[in-house]
Amino acid sequence: MIYYTQLIFIKPGCEQEFHAFEEKVLPLLKGHNGDLVYRVRPGKSAFIESSRELPYEIHLVTFGSKADFEGYKNDPKRLDFIEMKNNSVEKIILIEGFEL
């Protein structure tokens, strides 16, 4: 199993478009052996220390394999809504990991 953590940074004022994108694409995870373990929208008080800007959302997602992740990333149904993501997201930091 592979874990992916995403730190998601949203363009100012684009929260609603980002939410609409997620409503469309997150249900597709299950079809690619994926599971949304955590979806967190932390307030400033949740951060004890930071040397960089704070993310709007943090996701922890698991996939059975890297191929499953690639299948989700390239799913035509997801790509139908990619413009919504591109319009609303400033940047995403993606961290790949494994359970120890």
Side-chain angles (χ1 to χ4, degrees):
M1 183 168 301
I2 298 177
Y3 291 80
Y4 290 94
T5 302
Q6 290 185 326
L7 306 177
I8 305 168
F9 300 84
I10 302 299
K11 295 175 184 176
C14 295
E15 294 83 3
Q16 292 306 319
E17 187 166 11
F18 175 69
H19 297 171
F21 169 72
E22 290 202 320
E23 286 177 18
K24 302 288 187 188
V25 302
L26 290 178
L28 301 174
L29 285 167
K30 297 249 184 253
H32 296 279
N33 202 22
D35 180 41
L36 179 62
V37 178
Y38 301 118
R39 179 180 173 200
V40 182
R41 197 172 298 146
K44 280 187 172 187
S45 65
F47 292 86
I48 297 166
E49 189 172 330
S50 175
S51 65
R52 298 187 182 194
E53 67 182 304
L54 302 179
Y56 177 75
E57 272 191 13
I58 301 169
H59 294 183
L60 177 62
V61 181
T62 63
F63 287 93
S65 68
K66 189 161 188 153
D68 291 329
F69 169 71
E70 292 295 330
Y72 169 73
K73 186 173 95 172
N74 297 311
D75 185 320
K77 293 176 192 167
R78 181 180 172 276
L79 295 177
D80 283 344
F81 302 104
I82 204 71
E83 189 172 327
M84 295 170 79
K85 175 184 167 268
N86 293 340
N87 289 339
S88 61
V89 173
E90 183 69 37
K91 71 178 176 180
I92 294 175
I93 297 173
L94 180 66
I95 304 160
E96 183 180 273
F98 304 90
E99 188 170 341
L100 301 176

